[in-house]
Amino acid sequence: MAEPEHTPDGHFVVINGRRWRATDPEIPPEPAARLRSLLMAARRDISAAHRAQDAEAERGARARVHLAKTALGERGTPWWEQTASERRQRWQHGLDALDHHDT
């Protein structure tokens, strides 16, 4: 799959003419891949909960999507406005919180 177009500053990706905040490029590859995997699992869980008409499960899955997207830097304080330690803390906290959701 080809990389999406980025804005010149690298802060956003452009998909079908719409800007979306880019993932923080400073997240190491392994945690970034894990966060993306957890994000996609949560998105699948939203679909399954919706089909099952399970509002509580859907809310939980949506909360996990939010945690993953925040940890990736796609929501919350823009990653380019954070210090290196704040950025590391953001994605580590997100992984910890998502791990806690799985237990």
Side-chain angles (χ1 to χ4, degrees):
M1 184 174 192
E3 276 288 312
E5 175 188 353
H6 281 74
T7 56
D9 60 13
H11 297 168
F12 299 91
V13 294
V14 181
I15 300 171
N16 294 327
R18 186 166 177 192
R19 287 185 342 160
W20 300 89
R21 192 183 307 172
T23 297
D24 182 348
E26 295 299 317
I27 301 173
E30 186 177 313
R34 190 154 163 245
L35 285 166
R36 284 191 299 273
S37 176
L38 291 165
L39 171 63
M40 298 315 293
R43 286 179 168 163
R44 286 189 299 273
D45 290 346
I46 289 172
S47 294
H50 185 73
R51 284 190 305 276
Q53 297 181 345
D54 185 342
E56 185 175 337
E58 187 174 346
R59 276 191 299 278
R62 287 185 186 281
R64 291 182 4 247
V65 165
H66 180 72
L67 281 170
K69 288 188 76 64
T70 300
L72 286 164
E74 297 174 12
R75 291 187 180 161
T77 303
W79 50 262
W80 57 89
E81 293 178 3
Q82 295 179 315
T83 65
S85 65
E86 289 171 330
R87 290 164 79 172
R88 174 175 282 282
Q89 187 176 39
R90 184 199 65 242
W91 64 259
Q92 285 179 329
H93 171 76
L95 278 174
D96 291 345
L98 287 162
D99 285 343
H100 198 263
H101 264 286
D102 289 340
T103 58

